[in-house]
Amino acid sequence: MKKALCCWLLLSLFSPLAVAQAPYVVSYHDVTAPLVPLVRAIYAEMGIEAEFVLVPMERAVALTDRGDYDAEVSRVSDALTNYFNIVQTQEPLRTIELHAYVKKGSDIELQTADDLQVYRIGMYRGAKLAEVFALTEGLKPVESISMETLAKMLDAGRFDVALITTVQVAAYSEEILSVAERVGPVLSVSPAYHVLNKRNAGLAARFDEIVRAMRADGRMAQLLEQP
């Protein structure tokens, strides 16, 4: 009897049911924070209680690719070129535009993207839409470590034009709009998607299905309006 009891205890210790389930962790950064309520609700409908971790922009995607996190809240497609362990969903969560901003009172005018070639350019490090645009246009921007720093550098004349997205302006409107103003055309447009580490690729189709349903019944719009 004692031997049987010992065997039962050993088996129970190594049983999958006895092992605590690892949390499902989703990374996000300051600019994607407004999407957290939506993504949380989607996972809840999937029966997954997701845990959200705030990290710097560049680390959010890099560590998701490495497998430290299960997913990242949102990325534009062009940002994923060099990340081979990430799977993108197919239903966009929002659309992002890239604009040029100059110091208030500046006489800089832009008619096309080509006009940027004669100016010193700045951008927020890790901002992939700006990064891809700069690479495509052959620009070599000065990078800042935060949006607050970017605004201060522009104000101090460290560069002439800052490449800033609509979601960055929304997240840092006070810092940016107090010193800068938009000029010229829309430089780039890209939809942004939820992305997962490839070990969770099987969840992508269900995630998209819920996004479509939430968009159709208005829940998506309501969740995106939450503070």
Side-chain angles (χ1 to χ4, degrees):
M1 179 67 73
K2 184 181 292 185
K3 185 177 180 180
L5 179 60
C6 289
C7 290
W8 179 83
L9 288 172
L10 286 171
L11 287 171
S12 66
L13 286 173
F14 292 98
S15 168
L17 295 176
V19 178
Q21 186 177 2
Y24 188 92
V25 183
V26 181
S27 66
Y28 73 102
H29 52 82
D30 46 7
V31 175
T32 58
L35 293 174
V36 169
L38 171 63
V39 175
R40 189 191 304 278
I42 294 169
Y43 274 112
E45 191 156 328
M46 296 168 69
I48 298 172
E49 186 176 349
E51 187 177 298
F52 291 81
V53 178
L54 176 63
V55 294
M57 183 180 289
E58 187 67 27
R59 290 180 61 196
V61 65
L63 295 184
T64 300
D65 180 71
R66 196 172 76 175
D68 292 28
Y69 304 124
D70 290 290
E72 188 193 0
V73 162
S74 175
R75 282 284 162 170
V76 296
S77 294
D78 290 343
L80 304 175
T81 305
N82 296 318
Y83 297 102
F84 305 109
N85 297 313
I86 282 182
V87 174
Q88 175 189 295
T89 55
Q90 298 303 306
E91 291 293 331
L93 300 183
R94 62 182 175 183
T95 300
I96 300 173
E97 294 182 354
L98 181 69
H99 301 152
Y101 280 78
V102 300
K103 184 176 179 179
K104 282 186 175 180
S106 169
D107 59 359
I108 294 175
E109 294 184 4
L110 301 176
Q111 300 302 318
T112 69
D114 291 339
D115 296 339
L116 291 168
Q117 298 293 335
V118 300
Y119 296 109
R120 297 171 299 159
I121 308 299
M123 60 167 278
Y124 179 15
R125 182 183 301 163
K128 296 300 181 180
L129 191 59
E131 187 177 285
V132 171
F133 173 81
L135 183 64
T136 302
E137 297 295 323
L139 303 172
K140 296 182 178 179
V142 176
E143 296 185 348
S144 72
I145 59 173
S146 69
M147 289 303 299
E148 296 96 328
T149 303
L150 184 73
K152 290 177 181 177
M153 292 170 71
L154 177 63
D155 192 39
R158 292 282 301 279
F159 44 77
D160 307 305
V161 181
L163 303 178
I164 303 177
T165 65
T166 46
V167 292
Q168 289 170 340
V169 172
Y172 291 93
S173 58
E174 184 176 344
E175 292 86 344
I176 295 169
L177 299 181
S178 63
V179 301
E181 59 188 359
R182 179 188 162 188
V183 295
V186 176
L187 301 176
S188 182
V189 181
S190 179
Y193 303 87
H194 184 62
V195 298
L196 310 97
N197 183 273
K198 64 181 182 181
R199 67 172 176 263
N200 300 310
L203 300 175
R206 177 58 178 152
F207 189 98
D208 283 331
E209 181 184 340
I210 294 170
V211 170
R212 288 192 293 271
M214 285 187 167
R215 184 181 291 119
D217 65 19
R219 284 179 295 159
M220 186 170 180
Q222 290 175 356
L223 288 163
L224 289 176
E225 289 173 359
Q226 290 186 13

